């Protein structure tokens, strides 16, 4: 009689107990919830890192409220776009080996003009006393040397 006895086995398949299946389903649900939360957190961290990297990177078109100097370099104005407060002065300094004559659209800033080209090392300072967006350029190369000033 003992030869025919089989060890007790837990029922599997459609006859398994409902509580075991329910526990497995609950565990799977929690596992999925945890995975989704981890992915959302990772995405949030990635977005924050990318955003902070983009706002701190320095490019030729950087916008800053503290910049009061523009350098004239081979290839353009650096930075090409500046945001300043009304009444702030900006100084352009020619660090290029060629002279540059900067001016603005006369309807926007009739008094913004270097009069004579700036030689290497020369500077030009202008105080922006009206709010608005102003575009300026180098008369000798208006396609390469262009800039924008945003006065708040």
């Amino acid at each position: 009689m003992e030869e025919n006895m089989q060890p007790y086995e837990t029922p599997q398949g459609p006859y398994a107990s409902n509580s075991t299946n329910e526990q497995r389903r609950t565990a799977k649900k929690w596992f999925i919830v945890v995975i989704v939360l981890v992915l959302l957190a990772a995405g949030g961290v990635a977005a924050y890192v990318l955003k902070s990297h983009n706002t701190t990177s320095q490019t030729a078109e950087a916008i800053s409220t503290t910049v009061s100097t523009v350098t004239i370099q081979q290839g353009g104005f650096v930075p090409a776009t500046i945001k300043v407060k009304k009444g702030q002065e900006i100084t352009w300094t020619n660090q290029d080996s060629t002279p540059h004559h900067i001016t603005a659209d006369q309807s926007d800033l009739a008094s913004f003009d270097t009069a004579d080209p700036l030689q290497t090392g020369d500077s030009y300072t202008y105080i922006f006393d009206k709010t608005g967006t102003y575009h300026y350029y180098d008369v000798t190369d208006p396609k390469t040397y262009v800039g924008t000033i945003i006065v708040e």
Side-chain angles (χ1 to χ4, degrees):
M1 193 177 214
E2 291 181 4
E3 293 177 56
N4 291 337
M5 290 185 83
Q6 304 249 340
Y8 176 76
E9 293 182 21
T10 314
Q12 303 269 335
Y15 303 108
S17 81
N18 284 339
S19 65
T20 303
N21 283 339
E22 189 63 36
Q23 288 172 345
R24 286 183 184 148
R25 275 187 247 141
T26 301
K28 284 182 182 179
K29 287 178 187 176
W30 278 109
F31 178 75
I32 291 170
V33 167
V34 168
I35 293 298
V36 167
L37 290 174
V38 167
L39 291 173
L40 288 173
V45 168
Y48 175 77
V49 168
L50 288 174
K51 181 181 177 190
S52 66
H53 174 70
N54 287 340
T55 58
T56 58
S57 65
Q58 294 181 352
T59 65
E61 302 240 318
I63 297 177
S64 171
T65 57
T66 60
V67 174
S68 60
T69 303
V70 175
T71 58
I72 305 168
Q73 300 177 358
Q74 183 179 16
F77 299 115
V78 178
T81 301
I82 303 175
K83 183 186 279 186
V84 297
K85 300 289 183 195
K86 179 180 169 183
Q88 184 173 349
E89 70 179 32
I90 299 176
T91 301
W92 286 260
T93 303
N94 186 3
Q95 294 181 350
D96 193 10
S97 59
T98 60
H100 293 278
H101 179 170
I102 56 176
T103 192
D105 179 358
Q106 294 304 302
S107 64
D108 288 342
L109 292 170
S111 62
F112 182 90
D113 187 17
T114 57
D116 295 319
L118 297 175
Q119 303 299 319
T120 303
D122 286 351
S123 294
Y124 171 71
T125 300
Y126 188 84
I127 298 173
F128 290 85
D129 56 0
K130 289 196 289 187
T131 59
T133 300
Y134 305 101
H135 304 282
Y136 66 97
Y137 58 95
D138 179 353
V139 174
T140 59
D141 188 355
K143 289 184 180 181
T144 304
Y145 293 87
V146 293
T148 302
I149 301 184
I150 302 166
V151 183
E152 298 180 321

